[in-house]
Each structure stands twice: as C-alpha cells, then as structure tokens.
C-alpha cells in the first residue's frame, strides 16, 4: 500500500506548479469582439417557414370532419331532448373533484338514470334551455352520459 500525500509547498515551487497557479489570464490569439461581430452577422432568423413540398391527402373515411371554430370532436355530443335520460358516468364521491356550477350541482342531485331531462327540470325549477347548456358541459367533462 502506498500513502497518498500531497507535496509540500516548497516542492511545488521547484516543479513550477506554484507559478502556473498564479499566472495571469492570457489573451486569446484573436480579437473576441471581432469574433462576436462576425458570428452575429452570420446568424439568420427564418421569419416564415417555407411550405412543405409534400402533398397532403384527405383523412381516411370514418374520421369526422369539423368546420373551423366548431368543437374538436374528440367526443360526439348527443342531441339533448326533453325525453333524454342522463346517467352519472362516475360516483357521487368523484364529483367533488370537479368545479361545478351551482346549477350543475342542482341538476346532478336529481340524476338517477331513470328520469328524463324534462322531469329533472320540473323538480329543480330550471328552464329546459339552461339545463341543456349545463348538461352539455357535464357531458363534455365526462360527468354525464345518456341512456
């Protein structure tokens, strides 16, 4: 086994290590400011991406087409009528994770999977149009499904 001992300061001075530790910073063999100016002048910023040279093709059949500004279509929405029957798509405990409006909470209290929207509106005293808007949002969020 060998012992790993550092050299005393006197030995470093003899080998030149002390002089290297205290040597001043040496200026590079080129002008850094000129190098920076040349580098900046070579940078090009593309403002508009060129159009692709590849042709596009229509989507395969079966994929729905959507007009600009419409829903993304990730989930087809059901036409809600007075006879539509809402069903909870999750447990009542899971509903607490959602930031629901007071109207939505009121409607959900009466959703039992048997009664249509018309009956729920009568029990809660809600106009049908307002209930449709609330149920549409609940459907988008995956809270309600339809029977």
């Amino acid at each position: 086994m060998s012992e790993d001992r550092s050299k005393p300061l006197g030995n470093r001075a003899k080998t030149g290590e002390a002089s290297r530790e205290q040597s001043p910073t040496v200026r590079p063999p080129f002008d850094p400011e000129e190098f920076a100016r040349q580098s900046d002048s070579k940078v090009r910023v593309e403002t508009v991406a060129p159009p692709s040279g590849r042709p596009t093709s229509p989507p395969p059949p079966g994929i729905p087409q959507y007009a600009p500004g419409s829903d993304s279509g990730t989930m087809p929405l059901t036409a809600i009528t007075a006879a539509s029957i809402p069903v909870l798509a999750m447990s009542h405990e899971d509903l607490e994770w959602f930031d629901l409006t007071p109207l939505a909470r009121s409607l959900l209290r009466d959703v039992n999977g048997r009664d249509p929207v018309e009956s729920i509106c009568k029990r809660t005293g809600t106009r049908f149009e307002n209930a449709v808007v609330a149920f549409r949002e609940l459907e988008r969020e995956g809270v309600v499904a339809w029977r």
Side-chain angles (χ1 to χ4, degrees):
M1 271 186 140
S2 65
E3 290 185 22
D4 186 23
R5 292 186 181 176
S6 55
K7 297 179 184 177
L9 183 57
N11 289 343
R12 272 195 254 159
K14 291 179 186 173
T15 61
E17 287 178 34
S19 63
R20 279 194 301 250
E21 289 175 5
Q22 296 176 2
S23 65
T25 304
V26 178
R27 187 159 180 86
F30 58 89
D31 181 15
E33 290 177 7
E34 179 62 27
F35 178 78
R37 280 192 294 276
Q38 288 177 357
S39 297
D40 286 345
S41 68
K42 293 178 184 176
V43 173
R44 292 184 188 170
V45 177
E46 192 78 33
T47 56
V48 178
S52 171
R54 294 183 275 173
T56 58
S57 61
I63 295 181
Q65 299 296 308
Y66 301 99
S70 66
D71 286 337
S72 66
T74 55
M75 189 169 129
L77 299 176
T78 307
I80 301 173
T81 66
S84 299
I85 300 174
V87 179
L88 278 178
M90 60 186 59
S91 69
H92 283 283
E93 293 80 25
D94 289 340
L95 291 176
E96 296 190 20
W97 290 96
F98 290 87
D99 185 24
L100 301 174
T101 64
L103 174 60
R105 288 196 186 280
S106 170
L107 293 170
L108 287 173
R109 275 188 227 110
D110 285 345
V111 170
N112 58 16
R114 293 183 308 272
D115 296 332
V117 173
E118 183 179 39
S119 298
I120 294 171
C121 288
K122 285 179 185 175
R123 279 196 305 268
T124 60
T126 306
R127 291 183 45 205
F128 177 74
E129 296 81 19
N130 295 342
V132 169
V133 171
F135 277 124
R136 178 74 63 218
E137 185 60 31
L138 292 168
E139 181 183 14
R140 277 192 192 104
E141 292 186 20
V143 174
V144 169
W146 299 95
R147 192 176 277 201

